[in-house]
Amino acid sequence: MCYDYHGSWNTSATGAHAALFDPKSNVSTSYGLRSWIKAGMPQSKLIMGLPLYGRTWRLKDPKSHGIGAPAVGLGPGDDMGTMTFFQVEMFNKENNATVTYDVKTVSTYSFAGTSWIGYDDTRSTSVKIRFAQALRLRGYFFWAVNGDHEWKISKQASRLWIL
């Protein structure tokens, strides 16, 4: 599981819940995977789990909307502040949300008004899969594939993975 680093258990600030890198801490996929490898786990036994859902927050101030922005609660979605990738795509379209790719964490977030959603899209997922390939991991999996919108991420990922 390379996700759920941030979520409903801390609603004081937004977060990249599946950050490949975190410049402010060691709570990231790269740190976790490299720690397993350093501890002696064969790369051929490691599978990177990627989310097909987003985590949401309600911004304290819509003018402050980056990763780590002050928040005052959960945003749209279910009672845990989650939305499937399909729901994120619909939210973005219906609310004319601003979508931002964050290079530092290799994640995507969108915001509209006080609603903020952190998630992975085809771009961030592609970079993460290439990272897994560079580490020579066994593969990757998605949780949960039924949340993929028009199979966008699944199709992109299957084109990238070379056995």
Side-chain angles (χ1 to χ4, degrees), residues 52-54 83-92 146-151 153:
L52 284 174
Y53 64 93
M83 299 174 80
T84 65
F85 178 64
F86 178 81
Q87 291 169 324
V88 172
E89 291 271 284
M90 293 300 103
F91 175 89
N92 289 346
N146 64 340
D148 201 349
H149 183 222
E150 298 176 352
W151 305 107
I153 294 177

Side-chain angles (χ1 to χ4, degrees), residues 38-51:
K38 184 178 178 182
M41 176 66 76
Q43 288 104 310
S44 63
K45 302 285 185 187
L46 286 171
I47 299 172
M48 181 174 62
L50 299 168

Side-chain angles (χ1 to χ4, degrees), residues 96-145:
N96 196 28
T98 301
V99 176
T100 303
Y101 175 75
D102 185 71
V103 176
K104 290 179 183 176
T105 60
V106 184
S107 63
T108 304
Y109 66 90
S110 62
F111 59 93
T114 59
S115 296
W116 193 97
I117 310 166
Y119 62 99
D120 278 329
D121 61 4
T122 55
R123 183 176 181 186
S124 57
T125 301
S126 295
V127 173
K128 290 174 183 181
I129 289 172
R130 287 188 191 106
F131 181 84
Q133 288 173 316
L135 288 180
R136 298 178 181 246
L137 301 186
R138 177 69 172 239
Y140 66 91
F141 74 87
F142 288 119
W143 186 264
V145 74

Side-chain angles (χ1 to χ4, degrees), residues 6-17:
H6 303 277
S8 60
W9 49 94
N10 181 356
T11 58
S12 65
T14 63
H17 83 100

Side-chain angles (χ1 to χ4, degrees), residues 55-104:
R55 293 275 183 186
T56 72
W57 285 266
R58 187 166 36 97
L59 294 170
K60 183 175 182 178
D61 178 358
K63 293 177 185 170
S64 177
H65 49 71
I67 292 174
V72 293
L74 298 177
D78 66 16
D79 59 352
M80 296 296 290
T82 61
M83 299 174 80
T84 65
F85 178 64
F86 178 81
Q87 291 169 324
V88 172
E89 291 271 284
M90 293 300 103
F91 175 89
N92 289 346
K93 183 178 178 182
E94 292 168 3
N95 294 280
N96 196 28
T98 301
V99 176
T100 303
Y101 175 75
D102 185 71
V103 176
K104 290 179 183 176

